[in-house]
Amino acid sequence: MVHHAPNPVGAEALASDLAIRVYYEDTDFSGRVYHASYLRFLERGRTEWLRARGFEQRAMARENSFVFVVRRLTVDFIKAASMDDLISVQTRLARLGAASFDFRQTVLCNDACLLGAQVNVVSLKGGRPTRLPAEVRARLLG
Amino acid sequence: MVHHAPNPVGAEALASDLAIRVYYEDTDFSGRVYHASYLRFLERGRTEWLRARGFEQRAMARENSFVFVVRRLTVDFIKAASMDDLISVQTRLARLGAASFDFRQTVLCNDACLLGAQVNVVSLKGGRPTRLPAEVRARLLG
Amino acid sequence: MVHHAPNPVGAEALASDLAIRVYYEDTDFSGRVYHASYLRFLERGRTEWLRARGFEQRAMARENSFVFVVRRLTVDFIKAASMDDLISVQTRLARLGAASFDFRQTVLCNDACLLGAQVNVVSLKGGRPTRLPAEVRARLLG
Amino acid sequence: MVHHAPNPVGAEALASDLAIRVYYEDTDFSGRVYHASYLRFLERGRTEWLRARGFEQRAMARENSFVFVVRRLTVDFIKAASMDDLISVQTRLARLGAASFDFRQTVLCNDACLLGAQVNVVSLKGGRPTRLPAEVRARLLG
């Protein structure tokens, strides 16, 4: 039976890992990764997390059903990555609400934590927040 | 009277200048501007060149009339810009064909030429090349 | 006389405005501005805020004195901008600590608030937090 | 025995493939991939091609030996990719000169060719073109 998740989501909500190589495009003249590049990495992590649960965002947009939009994010920058580093983006669902949910994401390199993020995502339909259908909630809880 | 332009377009086709500041986002770990950032600068230059002639690309896309799409570009990288540099993108129409046209663009910094580019743009409607109406040609010839 | 600022910084700390045009590069397939593009806009705003107070970040990096690094940011996404929009990034100093300070930034378009951000910046020397000299504090308080 | 390569490089010069997923960050409001994003994809392809032959560009920059810099590129945009597409960047060495070499790159999606590029890369040391040592030439011919 599908039901509204307790808040916060328990450990049973699957996490996922995405390996990302740092390229020239991601760095800046400080010699390290540009701070906003991590936002792109985090978004790739969420995209793959969603894809693993059957959400293809291009199809969602085309079908004019609902789309997932970032409403709020907090990022703690702890340590910087550099060109050629192989980093890992870890994504897990931290909270599931009626029309929104939270991701907790971390970026690691060689077991060191580079960055922690909390990302609040809202479900929009026609530009307005919309309740997540039970079937969608079930998939998010994966 | 509007008529098809001679090929190439004469000096009467107005050039335009766009001043751009180099920010962190544009650089890479070499300490200089990332090579693909110049493509963004060139696109800004073309957008402003078109805007000055009455072409708003968001409106064009929304009205499902035609859109301008880059089909081919050649870029010569001569000298690199750095963080905080104030550069100038110069854009002029170099050729006007039936359904396409060419820009010639240069990027300067303190009178030194950093880059030269030739950009071939095609006019598409419903995904297919479409002849430029006389009114559009007149505006492109500015 | 230069002294440590009360916390938070009073209204006398000058704010600054930066006008930014939205280009193709800033948008995504949703038709709006990509969420991480705003981070680039905010960074441009801080760079110009700092430049207006005599901080050239390329020179700071080259002279191996100290550099300013983002340690934490929180962004609230309220409303989306689109291609061709002319937006405004407003930046002001919200807190000045011993080795760090906070910016409060907002992005506006036609008087509507698109985004609010709090950005915590730390002063690093040789990779470690370093106290801001009195002369630097005076300039930050503008 | 290592010797200067005939020009152009024969079929024995290994090609390499890099699979790339298209994310939000790569698209623009046209709904397709932003034209300059392909330049980032091509650069990733060259970086992996070089890595497979033992060239780590961060190490090269740090050791102040030589660096590889793009001097000229020509790109033909044939067909556009979209969000969620899985594309393939194919990279091969097309010419090896004394202090420069050419890549030929293509981007494919589901066997359709999206883009073809020719990229001229020069070897710089202290900012000046420098002859490629025999050992380096041997690795490039891989």
Side-chain angles (χ1 to χ4, degrees), chain B residues 21-36:
Chain B
R21 178 70 74 175
V22 174
Y23 292 111
Y24 261 99
E25 66 188 87
D26 305 312
T27 61
D28 68 29
F29 85 102
S30 76
R32 307 304 181 84
V33 168
Y34 180 56
H35 80 295

Side-chain angles (χ1 to χ4, degrees), chain C residues 75-128:
Chain C
V75 183
D76 287 283
F77 299 92
I78 299 160
K79 205 167 174 299
S82 298
M83 174 71 185
D84 290 329
D85 279 348
L86 191 59
I87 64 178
S88 165
V89 177
Q90 302 194 328
T91 301
R92 68 177 181 79
L93 189 65
R95 189 191 62 86
L96 179 60
S100 72
F101 46 98
D102 292 345
F103 286 112
R104 174 73 194 161
Q105 298 187 279
T106 51
V107 179
L108 305 175
C109 184
N110 298 327
D111 295 326
C113 183
L114 306 183
L115 177 153
Q118 298 186 72
V119 184
N120 174 241
V121 173
V122 63
S123 168
L124 294 185
K125 192 167 183 168
R128 294 173 157 280

Side-chain angles (χ1 to χ4, degrees), chain A residues 23 25 40 44 48 83, chain D residues 23 25 40 44 48:
Chain A
Y23 293 111
E25 66 187 88
R40 300 192 286 110
R44 296 183 202 173
E48 294 304 339
M83 174 72 187
Chain D
Y23 292 111
E25 66 188 87
R40 300 192 287 111
R44 297 182 201 173
E48 295 303 341

Side-chain angles (χ1 to χ4, degrees), chain A residues 21-30 32 34 37 40-41 44 83, chain B residues 20-42 44 75-85 87 107 114-115, chain C residues 25 40, chain D residues 18 20 25-26 34-48 57 68-71 73 89 105 119:
Chain A
R21 178 70 74 174
V22 174
Y23 293 111
Y24 260 99
E25 66 187 88
D26 305 314
T27 62
D28 67 30
F29 85 102
S30 76
R32 308 302 181 85
Y34 180 56
S37 298
R40 300 192 286 110
F41 300 160
R44 296 183 202 173
M83 174 72 187
Chain B
I20 292 177
R21 178 70 74 175
V22 174
Y23 292 111
Y24 261 99
E25 66 188 87
D26 305 312
T27 61
D28 68 29
F29 85 102
S30 76
R32 307 304 181 84
V33 168
Y34 180 56
H35 80 295
S37 298
Y38 295 102
L39 275 278
R40 299 192 288 110
F41 301 160
L42 294 173
R44 296 183 201 172
V75 183
D76 287 283
F77 299 92
I78 299 161
K79 204 168 174 300
S82 300
M83 174 71 185
D84 291 329
D85 279 348
I87 64 178
V107 179
L114 306 184
L115 177 152
Chain C
E25 66 188 88
R40 299 192 287 110
Chain D
L18 178 66
I20 291 177
E25 66 188 87
D26 305 313
Y34 180 56
H35 80 295
S37 298
Y38 295 102
L39 274 278
R40 300 192 287 111
F41 300 160
L42 295 173
E43 191 268 322
R44 297 182 201 173
R46 295 192 303 274
T47 292
E48 295 303 341
Q57 293 180 87
F68 296 141
V69 173
V70 173
R71 188 167 53 184
L73 56 80
V89 177
Q105 298 187 279
V119 184

Side-chain angles (χ1 to χ4, degrees), chain C residues 2-29:
Chain C
V2 177
H3 58 87
H4 279 216
N7 184 336
V9 170
E12 75 278 11
L14 296 178
S16 83
D17 261 33
L18 179 65
I20 291 177
R21 179 70 75 174
V22 174
Y23 292 111
Y24 261 99
E25 66 188 88
D26 306 313
T27 62
D28 67 31
F29 85 102

Side-chain angles (χ1 to χ4, degrees), chain D residues 100-138:
Chain D
S100 72
F101 47 98
D102 292 346
F103 286 110
R104 175 74 193 162
Q105 298 187 279
T106 51
V107 179
L108 306 176
C109 183
N110 298 327
D111 295 326
C113 183
L114 306 183
L115 177 152
Q118 298 186 72
V119 184
N120 174 240
V121 172
V122 63
S123 168
L124 293 186
K125 192 168 183 168
R128 294 173 157 281
T130 184
R131 279 184 94 80
L132 295 161
E135 175 271 335
V136 168
R137 298 177 63 84

Side-chain angles (χ1 to χ4, degrees), chain D residues 47-120:
Chain D
T47 292
E48 295 303 341
W49 190 96
L50 287 167
R51 190 193 316 283
R53 282 148 189 85
F55 297 98
E56 280 256 319
Q57 293 180 87
R58 174 169 49 156
M60 288 164 64
R62 196 170 39 208
E63 292 158 12
N64 286 315
S65 57
F66 52 90
V67 292
F68 296 141
V69 173
V70 173
R71 188 167 53 184
R72 183 170 222 257
L73 56 80
T74 297
V75 183
D76 287 283
F77 299 92
I78 299 160
K79 205 168 174 298
S82 299
M83 174 72 186
D84 290 329
D85 279 347
L86 192 58
I87 63 178
S88 165
V89 177
Q90 302 193 329
T91 302
R92 68 177 183 79
L93 189 66
R95 189 192 62 87
L96 179 60
S100 72
F101 47 98
D102 292 346
F103 286 110
R104 175 74 193 162
Q105 298 187 279
T106 51
V107 179
L108 306 176
C109 183
N110 298 327
D111 295 326
C113 183
L114 306 183
L115 177 152
Q118 298 186 72
V119 184
N120 174 240

Side-chain angles (χ1 to χ4, degrees), chain A residues 75-134:
Chain A
V75 183
D76 288 283
F77 299 92
I78 299 161
K79 204 167 174 299
S82 298
M83 174 72 187
D84 290 329
D85 279 348
L86 191 58
I87 64 179
S88 165
V89 177
Q90 302 193 329
T91 301
R92 68 179 183 77
L93 190 64
R95 189 192 62 87
L96 179 60
S100 72
F101 46 98
D102 292 345
F103 286 112
R104 175 73 195 162
Q105 297 187 279
T106 50
V107 179
L108 306 175
C109 183
N110 297 328
D111 295 326
C113 183
L114 306 184
L115 177 153
Q118 297 186 74
V119 184
N120 174 241
V121 173
V122 63
S123 168
L124 294 185
K125 192 168 183 167
R128 295 172 156 281
T130 185
R131 280 184 93 80
L132 295 160

